[in-house]
Amino acid sequence: MFESIRKHQRILQFVLLLLIFPAFALFGVSGYQKFLSDTDEVASVKGEAISRQEFDQAQRRQLEKLKEMLGDQVDPKMLDSDMARKEVLEGLVAQRALLADASAKKVSVPDARLRGAISAIPGLTKADGTFDRDQYKSLLGAQGINEATFESQMRRDLALQAIPEAVAQTGFLPKTVADRLLALQEESREVRERLFKVEEFETQVKATPEQLKKYYEDNGRQFEIAENAKIEYVILNLDALAAQITIDPAKIKEFFEQNRARYVNAEQRKVSHILLTVPKDANEKTRAQIRGKIDGLLVQVRSGANFAELAKANSQDPGSTSEGGDLGFFTSEMMAKPFSDAAYGLKPDQISEVVETQFGFHIIKLTGIKPKVERGFDEVKSEIEAEYRRLEAGKEYAKAAETFTNTVYEQADSFKPIVEKLKLKVDTAESITRGGAGAAANNPALNNPKLLAALFSSESLKNKRNTDAVDVAPNTLVSARLLEYRPAQLKEFAKVEAEVRSGFIKAEAKKLALLAGETVLKELKSGTAAGSFGEPKKVPRAGSTNVAPNAVESIFRAPTEKLPTYIGVDLGSAGYGLYQIVKVVAADEKALTDKRAASRQQFNQLQSQQDLNDYLDSVKARSDIKRNLSKLRVASEAQ
């Protein structure tokens, strides 16, 4: 079961992203519309095509979502591999198959559900809790879409989610199975290690000129100056149009007066808490036991025990336990209502009674308050002006996009016509490669696979004309052209001889390390050698360890019916590892008792994921699916 989860988890997460993200964020609403710029069919489900344009948009949405979660550390190239592209395509295929299944099952979304989902979109609720219809209309207008179209699409998305959500909520694993899995998860191995490090064998390698020359020729790509180009490009986006909008001071002031509530920073509170979770299927006896434990902790806290230390030792909130229960600052609407009501009813350093939420039982301590702050007109004027410019730019974007697309295509010898028509600017970038390196590496507009493919197409290399307008992000079009093209060149051997020698020695030393390790392993298994290992060390199945991760996996896969047993592991550039498994160490019963409730909940969630995977597989199995994977290859791969 868990192997299946590992295989499908990333696809599952992306499918859920596709289902949930469009429906609950106005960012990228224009993605609902189909464009005519690219009709290449990358797949079809029951005869309904999935275009390359839809694929590109889905790929961008996934990258944007990853950046929201992980920040700038996300490398766009991680989504530009065969495996990543296939996963994006599988997400679209699953989405289309789910939509057909929902339609066949006549799944409908009540108006009340639709209204609730729209009201949940961030920024559409006034300070008094009522729906902000004017803001709703403004946001839709900025995206160039009307209410009927958006609500129809959102109703479709909600219907699309209905069955998967129902399936995911039914996941359940028997207690005996969950407890056995927990025991296995907490089990350890006592092992002794012997390493055959690559650097220990480097002195045995003698490199001849002929060997170095052959290594240089066989691994030429390591010593290349990559194919690259100098380009110029033009971007049309809301920022470019917003800069041209004339501000009416009276309208800005009027907007401020009508929306004063938006410029009030609500009071924030900072608390620490101790949480004891309650399983969904807990009976009254179990609930009473958990309640008794939290009541006992409350007595300790009020008797002067250190709150942070008690939280670290007892709290079952994985996000705050290591911080002594600290949850940081939050506003009242960010927490479950019972929790928020209790926190906002406390005085500094005061401790609450036991509070029950859907997560379990809490003890709350108030540790800080940020008072409510109202910002004046002068303070928010520039913010309002920027928003006004973007709203007005949104109204102009569709028309400007049509002009941009037509002009860069019809007058492809220069960017001068489009610059004059739309008052845009031309930028240049050096060392652009097919893979997005150089200046493109940190520039999402230039790192788009479709734009790079167009830039390095045979036609572009030959004629150096404008590329077609490429939709690289919501409300963002780019066209680029080559100024200088530099084909890949192999560096002269004399200039890279030191790199070649280093690479050759490491490669040969790695072979020697593997040979030595495998020879000793064979002797150990045959009983012809005793082996020389380090001191025994305890290796847990999960968590930090001073043994290489792939070695840990091999250690726990090894049979332990007869001990000691021996395994060997290729450690990559580090060399080779030999491991003598001495003993299986069962989990501590007290540790199992403390973790049992939380682990059952986690295993139920994993079971829900597996159930959802199985449902998705069954839906796709019932659908006539055709995939055209060759259409996913970028130009550099096709040539």
Side-chain angles (χ1 to χ4, degrees):
M1 179 185 75
F2 292 102
E3 182 65 25
S4 177
I5 288 174
R6 283 196 292 272
K7 288 180 179 178
H8 292 85
Q9 191 171 27
R10 283 194 292 175
I11 293 176
L12 170 65
Q13 289 170 344
F14 182 58
V15 170
L16 295 180
L17 172 78
L18 289 176
L19 299 181
I20 297 170
F21 180 64
F24 293 100
L26 287 170
F27 177 68
V29 170
S30 60
Y32 293 145
Q33 302 170 346
K34 289 187 178 180
F35 296 86
L36 301 177
S37 60
D38 188 351
T39 57
D40 287 347
E41 183 178 309
V42 296
S44 66
V45 179
K46 291 190 174 181
E48 185 177 350
I50 297 174
S51 70
R52 178 60 194 248
Q53 181 68 38
E54 291 176 86
F55 173 84
D56 289 342
Q57 290 171 348
Q59 193 177 44
R60 285 198 303 276
R61 285 203 299 271
Q62 190 183 35
L63 178 59
E64 289 156 5
K65 192 66 176 177
L66 286 172
K67 285 184 175 180
E68 284 182 23
M69 296 165 60
L70 304 176
D72 294 336
Q73 62 183 301
V74 175
D75 183 356
K77 286 187 286 187
M78 67 187 290
L79 299 183
D80 195 28
S81 65
D82 284 343
M83 181 180 293
R85 287 193 287 270
K86 286 178 183 178
E87 287 188 2
V88 172
L89 182 63
E90 281 307 304
L92 287 170
V93 166
Q95 185 189 53
R96 197 63 58 84
L98 285 170
L99 183 61
D101 192 52
S103 176
K105 289 182 169 61
K106 302 188 185 305
V107 176
S108 61
V109 177
D111 290 342
R113 173 91 188 277
L114 177 64
R115 286 195 298 270
I118 293 175
S119 297
I121 295 173
L124 295 186
T125 303
K126 298 179 182 178
D128 61 3
T130 59
F131 182 68
D132 192 336
R133 176 161 287 279
D134 290 338
Q135 179 68 0
Y136 177 51
K137 290 181 177 179
S138 295
L139 288 174
L140 290 179
Q143 298 290 333
I145 189 171
N146 60 43
E147 290 183 48
T149 301
F150 177 71
E151 290 172 10
S152 173
Q153 178 65 52
M154 194 166 189
R155 193 184 293 273
R156 191 198 80 164
D157 288 339
L158 290 169
L160 193 64
Q161 296 169 41
I163 300 177
E165 284 179 352
V167 171
Q169 289 171 4
T170 60
F172 174 76
L173 202 64
K175 289 182 180 178
T176 53
V177 177
D179 291 348
R180 176 58 181 154
L181 288 172
L182 175 62
L184 289 173
Q185 181 177 287
E186 295 298 311
E187 195 176 75
S188 300
R189 298 279 191 273
E190 188 175 290
V191 305
R192 299 170 70 200
E193 180 181 55
R194 179 179 176 184
L195 298 178
F196 296 80
K197 298 178 181 179
V198 169
E199 56 266 28
E200 294 173 354
F201 293 85
E202 290 181 357
T203 57
Q204 300 180 29
V205 180
K206 306 301 179 184
T208 67
E210 293 77 19
Q211 288 174 318
L212 294 181
K213 194 71 173 178
K214 187 176 188 308
Y215 184 83
Y216 168 75
E217 293 169 354
D218 292 345
N219 298 274
R221 296 196 68 128
Q222 294 181 27
F223 312 109
E224 269 187 356
I225 299 173
E227 166 193 44
N228 67 93
K230 179 180 180 180
I231 69 167
E232 62 179 4
Y233 62 98
V234 179
I235 297 179
L236 173 69
N237 56 22
L238 293 183
D239 289 338
L241 295 176
Q244 302 172 33
I245 301 297
T246 302
I247 297 292
D248 181 346
K251 287 187 177 180
I252 301 300
K253 183 69 174 177
E254 180 184 359
F255 183 89
F256 173 75
E257 295 297 339
Q258 292 175 349
N259 296 274
R260 277 184 175 272
R262 293 180 57 186
Y263 306 105
V264 175
N265 293 335
E267 177 185 312
Q268 297 182 49
R269 297 217 158 190
K270 182 181 182 183
V271 306
S272 292
H273 80 140
I274 298 172
L275 167 66
L276 295 187
T277 58
V278 179
K280 291 181 180 179
D281 59 340
N283 55 32
E284 288 303 316
K285 181 180 178 181
T286 301
R287 286 179 57 83
Q289 289 174 341
I290 298 171
R291 178 58 194 247
K293 183 175 180 180
I294 196 83
D295 286 339
L297 292 172
L298 180 60
V299 170
Q300 292 183 55
V301 169
R302 289 190 168 164
S303 298
N306 185 287
F307 193 98
E309 293 303 320
L310 280 179
K312 288 179 180 179
N314 297 278
S315 182
Q316 295 171 336
D317 175 10
S320 69
T321 299
S322 62
E323 303 299 322
D326 183 15
L327 291 174
F329 282 98
F330 58 86
T331 56
S332 59
E333 68 274 7
M334 292 170 65
M335 296 293 183
K337 191 174 187 305
F339 189 98
S340 185
D341 288 348
Y344 274 76
L346 297 174
K347 296 178 181 178
D349 294 323
Q350 187 177 3
I351 295 168
S352 71
E353 299 291 337
V354 173
V355 178
E356 183 175 2
T357 70
Q358 68 267 39
F359 304 107
F361 296 113
H362 309 255
I363 301 172
I364 305 169
K365 179 179 180 181
L366 181 63
T367 58
I369 298 176
K370 286 184 180 179
K372 171 181 174 181
V373 177
E374 294 189 29
R375 295 186 290 165
F377 176 71
D378 290 340
E379 187 179 354
V380 300
K381 180 181 176 182
S382 60
E383 182 181 323
I384 297 174
E385 288 179 349
E387 183 175 352
Y388 176 81
R389 288 180 188 276
R390 288 189 66 82
L391 289 173
E392 292 301 307
K395 297 174 185 178
E396 300 293 328
Y397 181 79
K399 181 180 177 181
E402 182 178 4
T403 299
F404 185 92
T405 301
N406 292 338
T407 304
V408 298
Y409 175 77
E410 294 168 357
Q411 302 182 57
D413 292 326
S414 170
F415 283 139
K416 184 177 180 181
I418 193 60
V419 168
E420 292 177 346
K421 284 183 180 181
L422 296 180
K423 297 182 175 60
L424 302 176
K425 70 171 184 172
V426 179
D427 288 308
T428 60
E430 273 281 7
S431 303
I432 302 298
T433 71
R434 290 179 190 264
N442 297 312
N443 188 331
L446 299 184
N447 209 16
N448 180 272
K450 186 177 176 183
L451 178 67
L452 292 169
L455 265 173
F456 287 93
S457 68
S458 56
E459 181 181 350
S460 176
L461 294 175
K462 179 181 177 182
N463 299 318
K464 293 184 171 60
R465 293 164 65 87
N466 302 345
T467 67
D468 289 345
V470 178
D471 180 19
V472 299
N475 296 322
T476 304
L477 291 173
V478 177
S479 177
R481 57 187 289 117
L482 291 174
L483 294 178
E484 296 177 28
Y485 171 71
R486 310 175 189 97
Q489 288 184 317
L490 188 62
K491 298 175 185 177
E492 293 180 23
F493 177 79
K495 293 183 178 179
V496 294
E497 184 174 356
E499 295 176 47
V500 174
R501 182 180 298 277
S502 175
F504 173 78
I505 290 174
K506 287 185 183 301
E508 292 301 308
K510 171 64 185 295
K511 293 177 185 177
L512 293 175
L514 290 180
L515 178 61
E518 289 170 350
T519 299
V520 174
L521 177 62
K522 185 176 180 180
E523 293 172 349
L524 287 168
K525 287 186 174 181
S526 65
T528 59
S532 176
F533 290 89
E535 291 298 314
K537 61 175 73 176
K538 187 176 179 182
V539 178
R541 188 184 294 269
S544 60
T545 176
N546 54 356
V547 173
N550 59 329
V552 173
E553 185 175 345
S554 297
I555 287 167
F556 280 91
R557 283 185 176 179
T560 56
E561 292 81 8
K562 184 179 179 181
L563 296 176
T565 189
Y566 302 93
I567 62 167
V569 182
D570 185 340
L571 301 179
S573 60
Y576 189 83
L578 273 182
Y579 298 91
Q580 181 190 55
I581 303 174
V582 179
K583 184 167 59 174
V584 174
V585 184
D588 178 72
E589 187 56 38
K590 182 180 184 304
L592 291 179
T593 301
D594 292 341
K595 295 181 178 180
R596 192 159 281 133
S599 69
R600 285 174 182 169
Q601 188 174 7
Q602 292 168 357
F603 287 135
N604 282 337
Q605 291 171 351
L606 286 173
Q607 183 62 53
S608 295
Q609 281 193 344
Q610 182 60 46
D611 290 346
L612 184 51
N613 278 325
D614 293 342
Y615 166 69
L616 292 175
D617 288 342
S618 71
V619 170
K620 288 193 289 185
R622 298 194 304 270
S623 304
D624 179 18
I625 299 172
K626 296 178 181 177
R627 299 169 179 83
N628 190 355
L629 298 179
S630 64
K631 292 285 186 181
L632 300 183
R633 294 186 301 168
V634 295
S636 61
E637 295 172 315
Q639 292 175 359

